[in-house]
Each structure stands twice: as C-alpha cells, then as structure tokens.
Amino acid sequence: MGSIKLVDVAPTMARVLGARTPPIDGRPIDGVEGWGCERVVLAIVDSLGYGLYRFLETFLPNMRGMAEEGLLLAAEAVAASTTPAIASILTGLLPENHGIGSTRQASESEIRSLLEWASFEGVRSAVVMEEEGARTFEGFVEAALGVPRGLSVRDFDREILARSLEALDADPRVLVSHFIGIDRVAHQGGGIDEVREAASDVDDHIGDIAAAVPEESMMIICGDHPIHAGELQGVFDSSSVALILGKRRGGRSRRASAPFRPP
Ligand SMILES: [Zn+2]
C-alpha cells in the first residue's frame, strides 16, 4: 500500500456504501470492503495530527480500541486549514482541484461530494457540523444539522454529539460529524493538558456515537490538519493526521454475547 492521503477517505467511504465516484484524486484504501460494512460514520476531529494522537492515545480508549481492532494510519494532510481540508476529505480532490477555500466558496461550488454521490444513489445521509458549514449541504442530504459557532468549546462538541445521535435516529447509512474542541483549545493558546482534556471529551463523544450505530457499521475517525495555531503548532506533527478505521462488531454487543442456549 502506498502512502495514504486524506483524499482517500471519500472513495473508501463510497466503496463501503456501494456508491460510484466521479474522477477524483483519492483512491479507496485496500481491504476494508472485506469487512462487510454497509454503513459508515465519519468523525472529523479538528487538528488531530498523527503524532498528537500517538502521544494522547492512552487517554483515548474509544479511538484506541477501534484502531487496535481495525487500522491506524498516518494520512498525509492536503491542506493546512479547515475548510479546504474538509472539502478534500469529502470530495476526494486535492485543494488545487476543488478550489474551495471558504464556506462561501463551498456553497457556490459545483463540485460534488461523497454526500451527494451517496444521495444520488438513494443512500440516506446526514451531516452535523457548525451551522454555516451545515447549510452548504442542505437540499441533498437527508439531515444537515448545524451547531451555533458561538457556543463554548465543550458545549459545541457536546451539541455535535447530541445532533449526531439525533441524526442517527433516522437511520442514515452515512453520517459525517465534525468535532472542533482540540483546534479551538489550541487557538486559544492552550497547552498539552488542555488539548488532552479536549481530546478526551471528543473520545467520549465518539464512544457514544459508536454505541448508537447499528452493528456492522464502519467508524472512520480522521484529523483534518495538524495543530496549526498556538504553542503546540509543529510540536507533534508537520504534515500527517491520524486516520482510524474500525468496525463496530456484532460480537461485542450485549445481545450477541448473551449465553448460547441450545434449543
Ligand atoms: Zn481544522
């Protein structure tokens, strides 16, 4: 397997969903189609660099469990800021090919994303992110749920979790949620202790989402870029983000692990 890039996320998800992709820069990650998943949840964890993840992983039991049973990859980031990075994650295109540098450009862009590829084939999809970003998806996803930008760091990510659980009630086959706690804390000048707390909160939220999705769902967690502000910029990462692919296995649920009773 050659080097993995963030543009490989969308085609990997499309393969899981059985959706066709237009010509793009990314390629599906090998092997995951054999996992037998038909649904996928993508949690984008803002500023989760690969080195940062490795440094914090003992405090992140949910992500670590998924990585240990699935895949943990150092993915090459393709942009240094959030909007073009997320556009690359969702379109499979490098920034020079999607040209999306701002939310306004995202809403005006003719370029289609994974969520549209899926919707065209009747795949129910949902996206949960900051409200201005969420609005760019309205009209072609089943649920585009926004969270107000003005909330505190903790409340914002809690609200992303709450709306993600709400979105899962409608049983989408693909859900994309964007958690921003680590990035906000870094921008506010926080050090590693504050970043660890923010990461730990996000890990709890991801655990809650994983507990709410049906068995045999794929969970994908990725950073969008390494920390790009504050005292931790450049400390753990220069250009790689964490990319975790895991499967919520039926065998671990309470129902499937109930004692076997012969007929
Ligand atoms: Zn970001």
Side-chain angles (χ1 to χ4, degrees):
M1 192 151 49
S3 82
I4 300 293
K5 298 184 174 69
L6 274 182
V7 289
D8 299 332
V9 172
T12 302
M13 292 173 72
R15 181 166 281 186
V16 170
L17 296 167
R20 284 168 301 210
T21 60
I24 52 175
D25 299 311
R27 304 178 54 162
I29 295 167
D30 284 334
V32 294
E33 65 268 36
W35 294 5
C37 296
E38 291 191 338
R39 293 160 199 269
V40 57
V41 173
L42 171 65
I44 301 171
V45 180
D46 214 292
S47 285
L48 187 63
Y50 177 78
L52 179 66
Y53 170 78
R54 293 310 300 262
F55 187 78
L56 295 177
E57 65 186 346
T58 51
F59 302 97
L60 309 174
N62 292 302
M63 291 190 234
R64 199 182 66 234
M66 290 171 202
E68 283 172 358
E69 292 195 357
L71 290 172
L72 167 63
L73 302 164
E76 196 179 310
V78 295
S81 61
T82 302
T83 300
I86 291 183
S88 285
I89 292 168
L90 295 180
T91 63
L93 290 166
L94 294 167
E96 59 265 36
N97 292 330
H98 63 59
I100 295 168
S102 66
T103 307
R104 185 173 156 193
Q105 286 170 333
S107 52
E108 291 170 353
S109 175
E110 299 284 305
I111 290 170
R112 306 196 187 281
S113 75
L114 165 80
L115 292 147
E116 289 153 294
W117 312 335
S119 284
F120 288 146
E121 304 201 30
V123 173
R124 296 166 66 85
S125 59
V127 59
V128 180
M129 59 174 58
E130 180 275 318
E131 58 192 356
E132 200 185 337
R135 218 170 285 136
T136 67
F137 294 94
E138 276 174 5
F140 57 84
V141 301
E142 308 292 326
L145 306 181
V147 172
R149 188 188 288 272
L151 295 178
S152 73
V153 174
R154 288 200 127 172
D155 285 348
F156 186 96
D157 277 353
R158 278 191 194 132
E159 198 60 22
I160 292 285
L161 168 64
R163 312 289 327 248
S164 297
L165 297 177
E166 184 185 328
L168 287 171
D169 282 343
D171 198 24
R173 284 182 60 208
V174 56
L175 167 67
V176 175
S177 300
H178 178 210
F179 292 100
I180 64 162
I182 297 171
D183 185 71
R184 281 266 198 104
V185 163
H187 277 274
Q188 290 168 359
I192 189 61
D193 291 340
E194 289 80 14
V195 163
R196 188 185 63 232
E197 276 175 33
S200 175
D201 285 348
V202 171
D203 188 70
D204 286 347
H205 299 333
I206 287 173
D208 287 349
I209 290 175
V213 297
E215 293 167 10
E216 316 295 314
S217 295
M218 185 177 295
M219 296 285 300
I220 303 181
I221 297 141
C222 71
D224 57 344
H225 50 71
I227 286 180
H228 59 182
E231 63 185 64
L232 297 177
Q233 181 176 3
V235 170
F236 296 100
D237 296 283
S238 54
S239 64
S240 293
V241 297
L243 172 58
I244 295 166
L245 298 97
K247 180 181 173 186
R248 187 190 183 291
R249 287 175 201 282
R252 303 188 77 201
S253 78
R254 200 170 36 198
R255 190 177 49 191
S257 61
F260 175 71
R261 293 175 199 282

